[in-house]
Amino acid sequence: MTTTCALVSVVDDDESVRESLPHLLRELGYAVRAFSSAEEFLASGWVDETSCLILDAFLQGMSGPELMQQLIGAGMAVPIVFLTAHVDEDFRSRLLREGAVECLFKPFSEQDLIAALHAALRVRRLN
């Protein structure tokens, strides 16, 4: 499974996010895969191809932070941008300390998303 441009994987249990966010990302020129759970993403075969993971912090089943820790533990350097509707600066700071590139609070602006995505892709190139 190879892509010709950066692959952004979106993991969010909100169907509207899984539909609207990939649409925007494709308009920006990215290849996109969307998943409804961390488990679905892990089983997909796209983990190694993913250049950036846009991840809901609060998922059913395995949470976003749990997925991040599992990827880090497996030695997979996938840059992560978290999304959350739960505005909590302490939580955001913890995610950043533990390895996330960014944590955006919903609703976020298109400009904030693009900036976070570019930062994540810079991290990916450095690894």
Side-chain angles (χ1 to χ4, degrees):
M1 293 180 213
T2 58
T3 58
T4 57
C5 58
L7 174 65
V8 178
S9 291
V10 175
V11 180
D12 199 304
D13 52 10
D14 183 333
E15 186 176 356
S16 66
V17 173
R18 286 195 316 275
E19 291 176 1
S20 62
L21 195 52
H23 179 74
L24 170 63
L25 294 168
R26 285 185 188 101
E27 285 181 358
L28 296 171
Y30 296 100
V32 183
R33 297 284 176 197
F35 306 93
S36 62
S37 69
E39 294 85 356
E40 182 184 3
F41 172 67
L42 288 172
S44 71
W46 290 102
V47 177
D48 289 335
E49 301 291 328
T50 297
S51 298
C52 175
L53 177 58
I54 298 179
L55 180 58
D56 185 8
F58 297 98
L59 296 166
Q60 298 294 321
M62 183 187 299
S63 73
E66 289 170 335
L67 174 57
M68 179 174 69
Q69 291 307 318
Q70 184 165 338
L71 293 172
I72 290 169
M76 299 175 149
V78 179
I80 297 173
V81 174
F82 276 99
L83 305 178
T84 182
H86 182 72
V87 179
D88 181 338
E89 284 297 336
D90 291 336
F91 179 69
R92 179 182 183 277
S93 295
R94 189 187 99 217
L95 291 175
L96 297 175
R97 277 193 314 273
E98 292 177 357
V101 174
E102 185 56 271
C103 178
L104 301 175
F105 297 126
K106 297 175 185 177
F108 48 85
S109 71
E110 184 176 320
Q111 292 81 11
D112 287 343
L113 177 64
I114 291 169
L117 184 56
H118 287 171
L121 294 174
R122 279 192 303 276
V123 167
R124 179 66 174 199
R125 283 192 291 273
L126 295 173
N127 288 332

